[in-house]
Amino acid sequence: MLRHRTASRLAVLGLLGGGLVPLAAAPAGATPGCVDETAPSVLQSGCDDSTPPETTLTASTAPNAAGLVSVSSMTFTLGWQVTDGDPGPFGLECRLTGGPQAHDWRACTSPVTYADLPDAEAGGYVLEARGVDLGDRARTPDTAPLLPPTVADTPDEDPTPATFTWGQDTRAPFVFVTGTSYDEITPTQPVVTGAGAPIRLNSSEAGSVFECTDNDRPIPCTGGRWELPDPTAGRHRFSARTIDAAGNASAWSEPIEFFVPRNLTRQRGWAKVTGPGWFRGDAIKASRRGARLVLPRTTVGELRLLAATGRGHGKVRVRVGRRDWHVVDLAGPKASMKQLVVIDRYSGIRTGRIVIESLSARPVVLDAVVARPNRFPAASRSSRR
């Protein structure tokens, strides 16, 4: 802002012809460099300081891209700046819009704090602060007696207050995680045979995003009906949390569990068959007695075969390690992929290689195997804190 000095018109008294004769008032020349306010007099022109202080404002917490903070207390550091050498004194005034603590302009000191604010949408709170030339505000240049007011009194406070706008959300949302795979045998740990594991994610607050883990490994995910694509064979523990627009995060959900079968690949005596109805798009077929599959050593508490059934299909036998053989008859109603329980989950734990052997020349078509220990220790949450 530019500084200017306004000269008043002086009433000049002249001595003409032995008497006092008043002369018309004439404009006086402006005098630059005015840093205070002085009323005009016979001896000097009036002076108005037209350069108020400029205001600075810094907030303790900056809003995020959505214009929100996640704290209920805001502290502001305020200050003023002058460039004309005006010695002051100076002060500050504040005005708050929004919420029950709202107030009009009033004196304030730095720092100023507003605590226990209720939540509000973005833009719900506006703080304005302005510096004030307290020395000039107490004086007016147009107060000289017997003289007409000719000096304009410009504002003594910053005409462009420093402004800070924000919204507030301090409440964490809730996350809802639902596994939608169905398994009649083990409903709480279903076997997933599709291309992906279907899961539904929802938040208590619209516009929230999600963070997910699969076996404690971070994975990208989205809200609504979502699928974990192409999950690896084995046991899975899935958990999620939701983060609202203010950055508040929910607690991690309790894990949901599911199991993905191991796809069977061709070995000696077995041929590969393909088709859209098979797990992972293929299966293996044997048409001679004694064709064997040997799978790696594992711990088994439950064992299922995913196999085709139909009239004329043969039998296979299965064992884990050196335990007893279990015979599975694949003759029956036609089905491209049927889950057949070989060892139920209540039969105890056994460890060793899984061996599957064809018992006749009748065709057998095997798709995948479910071999899991059915021991589910609590997952560590240290990585999610």
Side-chain angles (χ1 to χ4, degrees):
M1 290 179 284
L2 299 176
R3 175 169 306 284
H4 69 273
R5 181 185 179 105
T6 305
S8 68
R9 296 189 176 187
L10 298 177
V12 181
L13 300 179
L15 180 60
L16 296 174
L20 294 177
V21 179
L23 298 179
T31 304
C34 187
V35 294
D36 60 8
E37 301 197 359
T38 305
S41 69
V42 174
L43 301 178
Q44 66 178 15
S45 301
C47 178
D48 177 66
D49 179 2
S50 61
T51 305
E54 296 181 352
T55 316
T56 60
L57 182 155
T58 303
S60 57
T61 304
N64 63 9
L68 297 169
V69 300
S70 57
V71 295
S72 62
S73 178
M74 293 289 286
T75 297
F76 301 91
T77 302
L78 311 176
W80 61 79
Q81 297 175 340
V82 292
T83 58
D84 59 359
D86 188 345
F90 300 101
L92 293 163
E93 292 181 336
C94 298
R95 176 168 65 182
L96 179 66
T97 302
Q101 299 184 41
H103 59 81
D104 204 351
W105 289 110
R106 68 187 186 192
C108 57
T109 57
S110 180
V112 59
T113 296
Y114 296 93
D116 300 321
L117 293 170
D119 286 355
E121 63 183 11
Y125 290 107
V126 180
L127 176 69
E128 298 172 275
R130 64 188 183 187
V132 181
D133 189 334
L134 298 177
D136 287 350
R137 179 180 274 185
R139 298 191 295 267
T140 302
D142 271 343
T143 58
L146 304 179
L147 293 174
T150 58
V151 179
D153 187 12
T154 57
D156 298 312
E157 61 277 340
D158 189 347
T160 56
T163 303
F164 187 87
T165 302
W166 78 100
Q168 178 180 299
D169 181 2
T170 59
R171 294 171 295 181
F174 296 96
V175 67
F176 304 95
V177 180
T178 306
T180 58
S181 299
Y182 175 73
D183 189 326
E184 183 178 358
I185 303 170
T186 53
T188 58
Q189 295 109 13
V191 172
V192 175
T193 58
I199 299 169
R200 182 171 291 278
L201 302 173
N202 290 294
S203 174
S204 61
E205 294 188 27
S208 296
V209 297
F210 295 87
E211 290 183 349
C212 300
T213 63
D214 178 36
N215 291 337
D216 292 328
R217 178 177 58 89
I219 56 172
C221 57
T222 57
R225 190 184 185 283
W226 172 81
E227 284 194 358
L228 174 64
D230 195 24
T232 58
R235 174 192 180 210
H236 290 259
R237 289 171 63 87
F238 177 90
S239 188
R241 69 176 181 176
T242 183
I243 302 173
D244 64 21
N248 300 301
S250 72
W252 285 94
S253 68
E254 287 300 316
I256 61 170
E257 297 186 8
F258 58 92
F259 193 89
V260 178
R262 176 191 179 93
N263 194 33
L264 293 176
T265 57
R266 184 176 65 85
Q267 296 182 21
R268 185 177 180 181
W270 296 82
K272 179 179 180 179
V273 295
T274 59
W278 305 116
F279 178 73
R280 296 294 187 262
D282 60 28
I284 54 175
K285 180 179 180 179
S287 299
R288 69 174 180 85
R289 181 183 180 88
R292 276 196 169 195
L293 292 172
V294 181
L295 305 183
R297 179 182 177 88
T298 188
T299 298
V300 178
E302 179 190 17
L303 183 65
R304 304 184 200 180
L305 285 182
L306 275 66
T309 59
R311 292 182 180 181
H313 283 219
K315 299 178 181 179
V316 296
R317 63 178 184 173
V318 184
R319 74 177 181 183
V320 179
R322 298 187 178 276
R323 303 290 289 270
D324 294 339
W325 288 99
H326 299 263
V327 177
V328 181
D329 189 355
L330 301 179
K334 185 176 181 179
S336 61
M337 185 172 60
K338 187 172 183 179
Q339 292 193 44
L340 303 164
V341 177
V342 181
I343 301 172
D344 67 39
R345 63 188 312 187
Y346 307 106
S347 298
I349 301 296
R350 60 208 73 194
T351 301
R353 292 186 175 185
I354 300 172
V355 180
I356 306 173
E357 182 179 339
S358 175
L359 294 179
S360 70
R362 291 186 176 184
V364 291
V365 181
L366 304 182
D367 197 354
V369 64
V370 174
R372 55 181 175 178
N374 279 342
R375 291 184 298 196
F376 303 100
S380 171
R381 290 185 176 273
S382 60
S383 61
R384 301 180 192 151
R385 292 175 184 169

